[in-house]
Each structure stands twice: as C-alpha cells, then as structure tokens.
Amino acid sequence: MELTLVQSDDWHLHLRDGELLQAVVPHSANHFGGAIVMPNLKSPVTTTAAAIRQVLMRSSLQARSSKVVFAIKLYPAGAITNSQEGVTDLLGKCSLVLEQMVQYNMPLLVHGEVTDPNHITTMDAVRFVESCEEGFVAATVTPRHLLLNRNVLFQGRLQPHNRCLPVPKEKSTAIVSAVTSGSKRFFLGTDGAPHERRRKECPCGCAGIYNAPAALALYAKVFEEAGALDKLEAFTSLNGPDFYGLPRNTSKIKLIKTSWKVPESFSFSFGDIIPMLQVKH
C-alpha cells in the first residue's frame, strides 16, 4: 500500500512562458526534484542567456558550464508547438553544433517524429534504442504512450485534450515490457504539455497533454499491473541522472495506494487547463 522511492526528476517537460509558466510550475514541483525543460516557446530558447532566464542552447561549452543547460533539443521544423523555426537540414546546417556537442559530451535530445505522414511506431522505437550501445542512446517514455492509443482522440466525439504529437499509435506491449524490464535505456519523461482550454478546443487546436498532477501515479499503475513495482524506482529516479552523468536525488517521495480523483480542471485568471484523466479514455 506504500512505496518509498528516491525522488524523481522529469527528463522531458514543457512549462511554456508568461502566465501559463507561473500556473503550472507548482504542479511539477510538488512531485519532481528537477526537470529538463523544453525550449519550444513562442520565442524559442536558443542562447545560454535565454536558458538561464527560462531554459536552452548556442555554445555547447558555455551551455554545459552554465549548470543550467544539460542538453540541446532537435525539433524538425513544424513538427510540434512553436517549432516553426526548427531544423530543416540537420547535416547541412547543424554539423558544427553536433561536433561541438560531441567534444563537450552534450546530449542531443530528439523529438522522435518526422513531418510527413509516415511516423515511427512505438515498437520500432524500442528496437532502435535497444540496438544501440548502452549509455549512448536512451529514451524517455510518457504516461500516455504506456496507457493510451489513437482511439482516445475519437471516443464518442472528438477529444481535443487527448491530442498530442507524436500521436500514440497503439497501446504497445513492447514499450510496456521495455520500461518495466529494468533496462537502463528507458526512464521517466512526462512530456507534460499544458495549453489553455480555448487553445485546445478550437479549429487547429494545440497538441499536448497535461499530466503533471497524475504522472507518478500513472507510471506506478503501469508497473503494478506488470508485476514490476520493484523496478519502478530505477525507471523514475535512477536511470535518468545516470544517463546524463548527474547526481541522483537524495530526497525521498512516498507513493500511497488509495482512491483519488484528478481535478476536472485547473482554473486561472487566463482560463482553464484540463489534465489527463478528465477526458474519455
């Protein structure tokens, strides 16, 4: 009924900016000790100075020594929210940056999606990660890709709050097996992506699922159903810092198995945010 874990960090998180940033930070801070925060804001974070104010990139050496920037994120142009200024020619335009990243041991984070209709599947992604040398390639895994499939977009009617990118293809036993196996190649990254309700419930609504209030409980559910609660701590709290070469947290967090309900919405002066588990699944 109770499980004590080393406190986790969230290795893939979106916090946005402005009022939305101020609204959602407490939800992540209540559960996680730290986070790798994504740079795809309305004005993308592309300098170390901007990263210190918010979070990510330019000189690899300067970034690494800042103790604020720990990786650089690759977005294909147009693949996701605020990625219009993303990469259009990886080798042609990014070779020098990639060489510097190798020199200074700076991880490259890849948004695993292309901008044509043929997307990678979860099983393919698992096979790719497992085929690479351990310690050099790893993958964060979200709650939604462990629990949902593409049908959640259309149950009963269109469900805009379940729209995310990459779209879950199927509830894959391959990815559940991978994360609950104890492999060091996989670790927690919620990809929590908040949007105000009106920006989801509109034509061309934004992609992203907000899961910070329930993420740890959802991961625990998956591991419990797989009979692998003994491997949960490695996935949530140990594999991530080990891969990045950062210290593990020393604080602990206690998970208690009890009945509870995620709030239907979180209301702020600028509008509402609808969390995961409050739309039909």
Side-chain angles (χ1 to χ4, degrees), residues 77-224:
I80 192 60
T81 302
N82 299 328
S83 64
Q84 295 86 347
E85 298 181 44
V87 173
T88 57
D89 183 356
L90 177 60
L91 296 180
K93 296 183 178 180
C94 301
S95 294
L96 179 58
V97 173
L98 294 172
E99 290 171 5
Q100 290 180 332
M101 291 171 65
V102 171
Q103 183 178 356
Y104 296 112
N105 197 29
M106 173 73 74
L108 172 66
L109 310 186
V110 178
H111 178 84
E113 182 174 26
V114 293
T115 50
D116 67 34
N118 299 310
H119 299 311
I120 193 168
T121 67
T122 53
M123 184 176 292
D124 286 340
V126 168
R127 288 172 177 167
F128 171 74
V129 172
E130 291 179 338
S131 72
C132 298
E133 184 176 348
E134 187 173 297
F136 288 91
V137 174
T140 57
V141 183
T142 75
R144 67 177 182 268
H145 287 96
L146 292 169
L147 291 165
L148 307 182
N149 61 43
R150 60 164 60 94
N151 293 334
V152 299
L153 288 169
F154 308 107
Q155 288 184 343
R157 53 181 180 151
L158 184 64
Q159 301 288 340
H161 295 282
N162 279 338
R163 180 173 181 262
C164 59
L165 292 172
V167 174
K169 310 304 184 294
E170 72 279 341
K171 185 179 176 182
S172 171
T173 56
I175 196 167
V176 172
S177 296
V179 301
T180 59
S181 69
S183 170
K184 296 180 180 180
R185 302 171 189 267
F186 303 94
F187 48 89
L188 182 154
T190 67
D191 194 18
H195 290 288
E196 197 274 322
R197 182 173 192 157
R198 288 169 294 186
R199 295 197 65 204
K200 295 284 290 180
E201 299 177 2
C202 66
C204 300
C206 294
I209 294 178
Y210 187 57
N211 55 30
L216 280 176
L218 294 175
Y219 286 121
K221 169 184 170 67
V222 170
F223 276 74
E224 182 181 42

Side-chain angles (χ1 to χ4, degrees), residues 64-84:
R64 189 68 167 174
S65 63
S66 70
K67 305 302 182 184
V68 172
V69 178
F70 297 100
I72 290 177
K73 183 65 178 277
L74 168 67
Y75 285 108
I80 192 60
T81 302
N82 299 328
S83 64
Q84 295 86 347

